[in-house]
Amino acid sequence: MTTVAGDLIHEGRRRAGLTQTQLAERAGTTQSGIARWESGRTAASLDDVLRLLRLCDLDLELAVVPRDVSDLAQAERLRELSGQERLERNARIVRQLRALRDGHGA
Amino acid sequence: MELDLARLLAVLHQHGVEYVLIGGMAALYHGSPFPTEDADITPRATAANADRLSAALNDLNARIRADAVPEGLPFSHDGTSLLDAGVWNLMTDAGDLDISFRPTGTEGFSDLVRDAESTVLFDVPVEVASLADVVRSKQAANRPKDQRVLPTLREILARRNDG
């Protein structure tokens, strides 16, 4: 199980083109320490994430905003579908959206 | 032109093109709720593969997408010219196809194929970029349309990891 914090560290490291060992050297820790953070086996604090991203020459923008789960609710309904079924569903939706745009109704 | 993903993938496969499916279509595959009307791919950036891609694009009657020209601009291409430009926004007889040899925030094919999911779509083997890599590239690009979808994609990613 990974965590949002672990995902952010992984993303930053890959964007910077660094291996876990290279980031560990910059952070003064071990490769296994980075791996544990990325995998979620060790919880990374927000300060850990910020520090590691900055070592990747990146930064983290944060803002407190209202939570909107409407898109996530749609995503939840897709969980039971296979990848191909999701793509086929997208094709149907796109067809309907085009019909609406063209004024023919869905 | 409506996207015919099955045909698009079939033609790329027939020509032996090595690529990773990326962008919104890859996100959809992984459970994104956001519709998309085009396919994005990152081909392997070798001369031989680019030549195969060029042949596939000929079969697909690829033209350059341009707002002012609804039918698209015809263009001649070969593997070298495809590699030189790096990014192509095309319309084809199977729908819109965006090609990027090195999407923002990535090192290209070898970087993306590492964590890609090997699957079969419409009876064709396909490498689909991991959701983490789709997020990485979209965050690096950081266009308004990316900012719109990223919070949801990140949450889908975290929930997948939970499962």
Side-chain angles (χ1 to χ4, degrees):
Chain A
M1 162 181 163
T2 68
T3 59
V4 172
D7 288 342
L8 287 169
I9 295 167
H10 175 83
E11 177 183 338
R13 179 178 64 77
R14 293 289 299 274
R15 268 186 62 184
L18 298 175
T19 64
Q20 289 181 335
T21 301
Q22 288 168 328
L23 179 56
E25 285 169 1
R26 292 186 185 190
T29 184
T30 60
Q31 177 274 328
S32 61
I34 299 292
R36 282 197 301 273
W37 267 327
E38 290 189 2
S39 68
R41 279 176 286 146
T42 297
S45 70
L46 181 56
D47 287 341
D48 290 330
V49 175
L50 272 171
R51 185 172 74 90
L52 290 166
L53 288 178
R54 286 171 180 169
L55 290 170
C56 295
D57 296 322
L58 295 166
D59 217 333
L60 184 67
E61 288 190 356
L62 293 171
V64 178
V65 298
R67 179 156 168 78
D68 178 356
V69 295
S70 55
D71 292 327
L72 205 58
Q74 287 186 44
E76 274 300 307
R77 292 195 285 273
L78 304 175
R79 285 188 84 163
E80 301 307 314
L81 302 182
S82 70
Q84 179 166 323
E85 287 169 337
R86 291 167 183 163
L87 295 176
E88 289 169 339
R89 177 182 178 277
N90 174 67
R92 289 195 298 273
I93 290 172
V94 166
R95 230 171 277 134
Q96 290 166 352
L97 292 173
R98 282 188 178 222
L100 283 171
R101 275 205 303 264
D102 296 343
H104 303 313
Chain B
M1 176 63 65
E2 183 176 311
L3 180 66
D4 183 346
L5 187 60
R7 183 179 170 208
L8 192 62
L9 298 179
V11 172
L12 292 170
H13 178 63
Q14 284 159 15
H15 286 273
V17 180
E18 292 180 276
Y19 66 94
V20 178
L21 185 68
I22 61 169
M25 203 59 74
L28 272 166
Y29 174 86
H30 291 296
S32 160
F34 303 106
T36 187
E37 300 188 35
D38 58 14
D40 302 79
I41 64 169
T42 294
R44 186 188 287 278
T46 62
N49 194 53
D51 284 341
R52 293 192 289 268
L53 175 62
S54 179
L57 293 179
N58 280 329
D59 270 9
L60 290 164
N61 188 27
R63 289 93 68 200
I64 293 174
R65 217 157 63 231
D67 286 343
V69 187
E71 67 278 15
L73 296 165
F75 73 120
S76 61
H77 51 82
D78 57 20
T80 303
S81 64
L82 292 177
L83 281 168
D84 282 348
V87 176
W88 296 90
N89 301 119
L90 305 174
M91 55 194 307
T92 78
D93 289 351
D96 290 350
L97 173 66
D98 291 339
I99 298 168
S100 175
F101 283 94
R102 191 173 173 174
T104 308
T106 82
E107 296 298 318
F109 178 88
S110 58
D111 183 17
L112 292 167
V113 79
R114 181 165 28 164
D115 292 335
E117 184 171 325
S118 299
T119 188
V120 174
L121 295 173
F122 308 103
D123 301 321
V124 170
V126 180
E127 299 287 337
V128 181
S130 71
L131 185 55
D133 282 345
V134 173
V135 167
R136 169 162 56 116
S137 185
K138 283 187 172 294
Q139 185 65 77
N142 207 28
R143 300 161 297 188
K145 68 176 185 178
D146 300 317
Q147 294 168 3
R148 160 85 179 86
V149 304
L150 273 165
T152 302
L153 296 187
R154 287 189 183 284
E155 195 142 349
I156 294 170
L157 180 64
R159 291 186 178 199
R160 284 160 52 92
N161 291 332
D162 282 349

